[in-house]
Amino acid sequence: MTMTMGEAAKPARLRPWLAGLRLQDKARDCALLVVPPLITIGLLLLLWQMLCSQPGASLPPPSKVIKDTWQLISDPFFDNGGTDVGLFWQILASLKRVCIGFSLAAVCGVALGVLIGQSSFAYRGLDPIFQVLRTVPPLAWLPISLAAFKDSNPSAIFVIFITAIWPVILNTAVGVRQIPEDYRNVARVLRLNGWEYFFKIMLPASVPYMFTGLRIGVGLSWLAIVAAEMLVGGVGIGFFIWDGWNSSLLSEIILALIYVGIIGFLLDRIIGFFGRLIAGRPI
Amino acid sequence: MRGYLTIEQVGKTFDTQSGKFTALSNVSLAIEKGEFVTIIGHSGCGKSTLLNIVAGLSRATTGAVLLDGVSVDEPGPDRAVVFQNHSLLPWLSAYANVRLAVDKVFGKTKSSAERDEWTKHNLDLVHMNHALHKKPDELSGGMRQRVGIARALAMQPKILLLDEPFGALDALTRAHLQDTVMEIHQATKSTAIMITHDVDEAVLLSNRIVMMTNGPAATIGDICQVGLDRPRRRLEMADSLEYARCRKQVLQFLYERHAKAA
Ligand SMILES: Nc1ncnc2c1ncn2[C@@H]1O[C@H](COP(=O)(O)OP(=O)(O)O)[C@@H](O)[C@H]1O
Ligand SMILES: [Mg+2]
């Protein structure tokens, strides 16, 4: 009560000053967010520059990386045919594969997760299989999928699929199993049918869990695509890195690694964003 | 013995790891239309079990429940339940929680505008029209329970089933909600069964208080007919002889005849 009276009693000429203060607050919050990472990045670059500038250093310093790759950085869109295309196209090719493989994994993963979350028979039958299969390293699937699909592109997509699906299945199943008995009872009293129950109760109640799985899944897919592309070749950031290694273009590899990291980070944030949007609460 | 709701020789046995456990045996009760009945008994005696059987959420092992002449064997909106912990869907606003029930029950018989109106009308009855668009976690415990009651009322059930709806609330909030429930009962002439462990609440609200013996194999030990006129006013109860008599009867049952070492 005293607080509100104090507010009201403030002289009018203080207000613009307060508004200015609030703007300053915003600027300070922003600076607090941006300045520390800038400082650490600067320090790391400096350290790297010093360590790699000595004679006999086996890796190029950042200044040399930028000089060597300036062409690639400044023109990501060139297309000389074959695998000789700009980084934009390389990354786009990888993202396309991840997008297809991951979407398939998301759909199948949610469906299977709902199945084993809902039915304890399916859970008992499938969970042991899933627990074993999910420990198989992504690349171990590659030879089998190459043999099955007889083509590199679907094989790479399959590797993404099989990598991303496990966390989606398992987290969705946990999400479905944790739906409180009370919500089921509400559905029973209202006599919701299967579809109504699925869309009105099960989906919203387990969506945070699903997105946790999707987030882990997208991270794993991005890890796997780079490795898979190294092996199958073609346009894509993974093969670009492998090609750089074969041609001893260390600077190009370092640039590609930075791009891979940034894209991976963005993928994670995008899934997180959609999760928040759909669930209407932080995940 | 025939009533609007008839519970006939109901028994319930659970299969547990340590063998069979008989929670209820031989429970018979008839409730008239418009009656407000409370069930009181020590914790764990089987009150929720009985209410869930009436709701159809759980099946009786023996005996039967009849509502308006029809045997109850599955849950349905004609027996709306107000759960102890409100059980509102946290991703829906107060309005949307009630509207979900209204859409499901009246989707075919009322127009969209009528359903909107009916939803608001029921939230109005529980005095929640000021917070239609708040999510459950933005509401206090008492307000959530009000929305839970509105959702149940909105189904226009034949009977309202309340399982310790005010158990988790503080005394003052509780008193407000009791008043609201009395208002609604007066206005809608609804039939209701409410579980409580609060003797004053039972006497204030009920036409009859059903007292249950301690489990296992709990059954109805005694029934207290509350001869107080409606509308009842909380303050006048302090001087009422009938109120004092009922209160004493229930207390004696709970603490002398069927005391529980706890
Ligand atoms: N699903 C169940 N399985 C086994 N025992 C149960 C189950 N539900 C309730 N019980 C037992 O039945 C008795 C009555 O429980 P309940 O009806 O919840 O009591 P209350 O009167 O407190 O509501 C308790 O002893 C409880 O342990
Ligand atoms: Mg109970």
Short mmCIF file of all heavy atoms in Angstrom, two decimals, chain A residues 118-139:
data_model
loop_
_atom_site.label_atom_id
_atom_site.label_comp_id
_atom_site.label_asym_id
_atom_site.label_seq_id
_atom_site.Cartn_x
_atom_site.Cartn_y
_atom_site.Cartn_z
N GLN A 118 1.38 -45.81 -24.17
CA GLN A 118 -0.03 -46.09 -23.93
C GLN A 118 -0.25 -47.54 -23.55
O GLN A 118 -1.00 -47.84 -22.63
CB GLN A 118 -0.78 -45.83 -25.24
CG GLN A 118 -1.88 -44.88 -25.36
CD GLN A 118 -2.58 -44.35 -24.16
OE1 GLN A 118 -2.01 -44.08 -23.11
NE2 GLN A 118 -3.84 -44.19 -24.32
N SER A 119 0.40 -48.45 -24.31
CA SER A 119 0.10 -49.86 -24.13
C SER A 119 1.25 -50.55 -23.42
O SER A 119 2.38 -50.53 -23.91
CB SER A 119 -0.15 -50.49 -25.50
OG SER A 119 0.40 -51.78 -25.57
N SER A 120 0.97 -51.16 -22.29
CA SER A 120 2.08 -51.77 -21.57
C SER A 120 2.52 -53.05 -22.27
O SER A 120 3.65 -53.48 -22.11
CB SER A 120 1.74 -52.02 -20.10
OG SER A 120 0.43 -52.46 -19.97
N PHE A 121 1.63 -53.64 -23.08
CA PHE A 121 2.03 -54.81 -23.87
C PHE A 121 3.10 -54.40 -24.90
O PHE A 121 4.16 -55.01 -24.99
CB PHE A 121 0.82 -55.42 -24.58
CG PHE A 121 1.17 -56.64 -25.37
CD1 PHE A 121 1.32 -57.88 -24.75
CD2 PHE A 121 1.38 -56.56 -26.75
CE1 PHE A 121 1.66 -59.01 -25.48
CE2 PHE A 121 1.71 -57.70 -27.48
CZ PHE A 121 1.85 -58.92 -26.85
N ALA A 122 2.80 -53.32 -25.63
CA ALA A 122 3.76 -52.82 -26.62
C ALA A 122 5.04 -52.41 -25.92
O ALA A 122 6.15 -52.63 -26.44
CB ALA A 122 3.16 -51.65 -27.39
N TYR A 123 4.91 -51.83 -24.74
CA TYR A 123 6.10 -51.39 -24.01
C TYR A 123 6.99 -52.58 -23.68
O TYR A 123 8.18 -52.57 -23.95
CB TYR A 123 5.67 -50.68 -22.73
CG TYR A 123 6.82 -50.20 -21.89
CD1 TYR A 123 7.49 -49.03 -22.22
CD2 TYR A 123 7.25 -50.92 -20.77
CE1 TYR A 123 8.55 -48.58 -21.47
CE2 TYR A 123 8.32 -50.48 -20.01
CZ TYR A 123 8.96 -49.30 -20.36
OH TYR A 123 10.01 -48.87 -19.62
N ARG A 124 6.37 -53.63 -23.13
CA ARG A 124 7.15 -54.81 -22.76
C ARG A 124 7.78 -55.45 -23.99
O ARG A 124 8.89 -55.94 -23.94
CB ARG A 124 6.29 -55.82 -22.01
CG ARG A 124 6.10 -55.40 -20.57
CD ARG A 124 5.53 -56.52 -19.71
NE ARG A 124 4.61 -55.93 -18.76
CZ ARG A 124 3.30 -56.04 -18.85
NH1 ARG A 124 2.74 -56.75 -19.80
NH2 ARG A 124 2.54 -55.44 -17.96
N GLY A 125 7.06 -55.41 -25.10
CA GLY A 125 7.57 -56.05 -26.31
C GLY A 125 8.66 -55.25 -26.99
O GLY A 125 9.64 -55.81 -27.47
N LEU A 126 8.50 -53.94 -27.02
CA LEU A 126 9.40 -53.13 -27.85
C LEU A 126 10.53 -52.48 -27.08
O LEU A 126 11.61 -52.27 -27.63
CB LEU A 126 8.59 -52.04 -28.57
CG LEU A 126 7.62 -52.56 -29.63
CD1 LEU A 126 6.73 -51.44 -30.15
CD2 LEU A 126 8.40 -53.17 -30.79
N ASP A 127 10.30 -52.17 -25.82
CA ASP A 127 11.32 -51.41 -25.09
C ASP A 127 12.68 -52.10 -25.08
O ASP A 127 13.69 -51.43 -25.32
CB ASP A 127 10.84 -51.10 -23.67
CG ASP A 127 11.75 -50.11 -22.98
OD1 ASP A 127 11.90 -48.99 -23.52
OD2 ASP A 127 12.35 -50.45 -21.95
N PRO A 128 12.76 -53.41 -24.83
CA PRO A 128 14.09 -54.05 -24.83
C PRO A 128 14.79 -53.89 -26.18
O PRO A 128 16.00 -53.63 -26.22
CB PRO A 128 13.78 -55.52 -24.56
CG PRO A 128 12.40 -55.58 -24.05
CD PRO A 128 11.68 -54.36 -24.52
N ILE A 129 14.02 -54.02 -27.25
CA ILE A 129 14.61 -53.88 -28.59
C ILE A 129 15.16 -52.47 -28.77
O ILE A 129 16.29 -52.27 -29.22
CB ILE A 129 13.55 -54.18 -29.67
CG1 ILE A 129 12.98 -55.58 -29.45
CG2 ILE A 129 14.12 -54.03 -31.07
CD1 ILE A 129 11.87 -55.95 -30.41
N PHE A 130 14.34 -51.49 -28.39
CA PHE A 130 14.77 -50.10 -28.54
C PHE A 130 16.03 -49.83 -27.71
O PHE A 130 16.94 -49.15 -28.15
CB PHE A 130 13.66 -49.14 -28.08
CG PHE A 130 12.47 -49.14 -29.00
CD1 PHE A 130 11.27 -48.58 -28.60
CD2 PHE A 130 12.55 -49.69 -30.27
CE1 PHE A 130 10.17 -48.58 -29.44
CE2 PHE A 130 11.46 -49.69 -31.12
CZ PHE A 130 10.26 -49.14 -30.70
N GLN A 131 16.04 -50.37 -26.48
CA GLN A 131 17.17 -50.11 -25.60
C GLN A 131 18.47 -50.65 -26.20
O GLN A 131 19.53 -50.05 -26.04
CB GLN A 131 16.94 -50.73 -24.22
CG GLN A 131 15.79 -50.12 -23.43
CD GLN A 131 16.01 -48.66 -23.07
OE1 GLN A 131 17.11 -48.14 -23.20
NE2 GLN A 131 14.95 -47.99 -22.63
N VAL A 132 18.39 -51.77 -26.89
CA VAL A 132 19.59 -52.32 -27.52
C VAL A 132 19.95 -51.53 -28.77
O VAL A 132 21.09 -51.09 -28.94
CB VAL A 132 19.37 -53.82 -27.88
CG1 VAL A 132 20.53 -54.32 -28.73
CG2 VAL A 132 19.25 -54.64 -26.61
N LEU A 133 18.95 -51.29 -29.63
CA LEU A 133 19.25 -50.64 -30.91
C LEU A 133 19.77 -49.22 -30.73
O LEU A 133 20.59 -48.74 -31.51
CB LEU A 133 18.00 -50.61 -31.79
CG LEU A 133 17.58 -51.96 -32.36
CD1 LEU A 133 16.40 -51.77 -33.30
CD2 LEU A 133 18.72 -52.62 -33.10
N ARG A 134 19.29 -48.54 -29.69
CA ARG A 134 19.67 -47.13 -29.58
C ARG A 134 21.15 -46.96 -29.21
O ARG A 134 21.70 -45.88 -29.37
CB ARG A 134 18.79 -46.41 -28.57
CG ARG A 134 19.16 -46.61 -27.13
CD ARG A 134 18.13 -46.01 -26.21
NE ARG A 134 18.43 -46.31 -24.83
CZ ARG A 134 19.08 -45.47 -24.04
NH1 ARG A 134 19.48 -44.31 -24.48
NH2 ARG A 134 19.32 -45.81 -22.80
N THR A 135 21.79 -48.03 -28.73
CA THR A 135 23.20 -47.89 -28.38
C THR A 135 24.10 -48.13 -29.59
O THR A 135 25.30 -47.94 -29.51
CB THR A 135 23.60 -48.89 -27.28
OG1 THR A 135 23.41 -50.19 -27.79
CG2 THR A 135 22.77 -48.70 -26.03
N VAL A 136 23.52 -48.57 -30.72
CA VAL A 136 24.34 -48.78 -31.93
C VAL A 136 24.79 -47.41 -32.44
O VAL A 136 23.97 -46.53 -32.66
CB VAL A 136 23.52 -49.50 -33.01
CG1 VAL A 136 24.31 -49.61 -34.30
CG2 VAL A 136 23.08 -50.87 -32.52
N PRO A 137 26.09 -47.21 -32.63
CA PRO A 137 26.57 -45.90 -33.11
C PRO A 137 26.01 -45.61 -34.51
O PRO A 137 25.91 -46.54 -35.32
CB PRO A 137 28.09 -46.08 -33.18
CG PRO A 137 28.39 -47.29 -32.40
CD PRO A 137 27.18 -48.14 -32.38
N PRO A 138 25.68 -44.36 -34.80
CA PRO A 138 25.04 -44.01 -36.06
C PRO A 138 25.76 -44.56 -37.28
O PRO A 138 25.14 -45.14 -38.16
CB PRO A 138 25.08 -42.49 -36.07
CG PRO A 138 25.20 -42.09 -34.66
CD PRO A 138 25.83 -43.21 -33.91
N LEU A 139 27.09 -44.44 -37.29
CA LEU A 139 27.81 -44.83 -38.50
C LEU A 139 27.81 -46.32 -38.74
O LEU A 139 28.01 -46.78 -39.85
CB LEU A 139 29.24 -44.30 -38.45
CG LEU A 139 29.34 -42.81 -38.70
CD1 LEU A 139 30.79 -42.41 -38.86
CD2 LEU A 139 28.55 -42.42 -39.94
#
